[in-house]
Amino acid sequence: MVLGMKKLIAGNWKMNGTAAAARALAGEIADGLTARPGLRERCDVLICPPHVHIEAVMETIRSKAAGLISIGGQDCAPEENGAFTGDISAAMLADLGCNYVILGHSERRQHRQESDELIAAKAAAAHAKGLIAIICVGETEKDRDSGLQTAVVGTQLSHSLPPGATAQNTVIAYEPVWAIGTGKTATPGDVGSMHGFIRKKLKERLEDSAFMRILYGGSVKPDNAAALFAVENVDGGLIGGASLKAGQFLDIAKGT
Ligand code: PGA
């Protein structure tokens, strides 16, 4: 990590909760962060609620902790607008006040058959509207057992980043699929070698590769966060399950 670069702690709420629950959770996170000035000096905080709850969360954050927490979407369409029933455009997320969008999460790659090329098109659409794309990559357990983890992640990186990607508009999230929601975490050693590999790959194509944040995700919890965040080239975390509990999410941020 480059000196002075703040870590990013991002909560991915996935498809959970009612609007009332989203307001309550955002409120608890906002209160916790306002009460701990040291924490917000140390890291940037982002929450990505389900799209239908973004407005409720945005209102809560604006009233309790304006400017302290960024809000993002969990996906966007590659097209700008039009006849795409059920989809959400990057412009709509930007219009709500979002700064980020998660793209290519392994759950979308796996259950919605998203390809690297589709993810790159979505990222280009996000960039065009001024959003920072968090592009997710990661190998399955089978890939790792066959020693293919760097080959798989290398291919995902080569094809999921659009031509205009820079450290200003793109964040990478390395999330080994076998560690997501399973309680199994990659060891700091494995994380270090994969993040080092990702940094090297980024350097091959980007001038500002040293400044591109690379997050780790997959069963990050308060008790393993500090060890993971201490690893070289780990510039923050993408947190799933533990981001649904304000106390745990804030304790994870404390590990930065
Ligand atoms: P997890 O999810 O923290 O529940 O493993 C991480 C993610 O899917 O982004």
Side-chain angles (χ1 to χ4, degrees):
M1 172 159 139
V2 174
L3 209 65
M5 189 158 123
K6 270 188 179 178
K7 291 200 197 294
L8 173 66
I9 302 301
N12 173 11
W13 290 3
K14 307 192 180 182
M15 193 173 74
N16 289 296
T18 59
R23 267 182 219 279
L25 178 55
E28 278 184 70
I29 295 171
D31 289 343
L33 211 58
T34 336
R36 301 186 212 184
L39 201 52
R40 45 180 214 262
E41 298 298 314
R42 277 219 297 280
C43 60
D44 292 330
V45 176
L46 163 70
I47 49 189
C48 300
H51 292 152
V52 289
H53 299 331
I54 286 176
E55 207 155 11
V57 168
M58 194 69 77
E59 274 173 22
T60 309
I61 299 302
R62 281 191 179 139
S63 71
K64 285 177 171 272
L68 296 186
I69 299 175
S70 299
I71 315 288
Q74 295 178 13
D75 184 37
C76 73
E79 297 85 4
E80 249 190 276
N81 54 47
F84 301 100
T85 303
D87 281 346
I88 306 276
S89 73
M92 291 171 186
L93 293 175
D95 184 44
L96 287 177
C98 290
N99 310 109
Y100 288 84
V101 59
I102 299 171
L103 295 173
H105 190 280
S106 70
E107 286 148 16
R108 298 204 63 84
R109 289 178 183 265
Q110 196 183 337
H111 305 303
R112 302 290 182 260
Q113 289 76 44
E114 292 200 359
S115 65
D116 290 331
E117 290 67 25
L118 176 62
I119 294 157
K122 289 181 171 194
H127 291 161
K129 298 300 167 196
L131 297 176
I132 300 172
I134 301 180
I135 299 179
C136 304
V137 296
E139 82 284 358
T140 62
E141 189 150 37
K142 194 159 157 257
D143 297 331
R144 184 162 278 267
D145 288 346
S146 325
L148 292 174
Q149 63 273 21
T150 46
V152 167
V153 169
T155 305
Q156 290 175 337
L157 274 178
S158 305
H159 299 283
S160 312
L161 264 69
T166 67
Q168 305 310 313
N169 65 20
T170 305
V171 171
I172 304 298
Y174 168 59
E175 300 203 302
V177 180
W178 49 271
I180 296 177
T182 57
K184 291 193 225 169
T185 326
T187 63
D190 287 342
V191 173
S193 54
M194 184 58 87
H195 280 232
F197 167 75
I198 293 172
R199 183 76 67 203
K200 193 175 100 217
K201 288 288 289 181
L202 294 175
K203 205 169 167 191
E204 289 167 12
R205 65 179 276 186
L206 301 171
E207 277 180 22
D208 58 357
S209 59
F211 297 93
M212 189 173 279
R213 279 165 159 165
I214 307 173
L215 311 183
Y216 169 78
S219 298
V220 178
K221 306 282 178 226
D223 60 359
N224 61 22
L228 290 163
F229 297 153
V231 175
E232 197 179 350
N233 289 308
V234 174
D235 306 313
L238 182 53
I239 323 298
S243 73
L244 295 171
K245 302 236 160 61
Q248 287 197 21
F249 186 59
L250 293 165
D251 282 346
I252 288 171
K254 236 172 33 185
T256 54

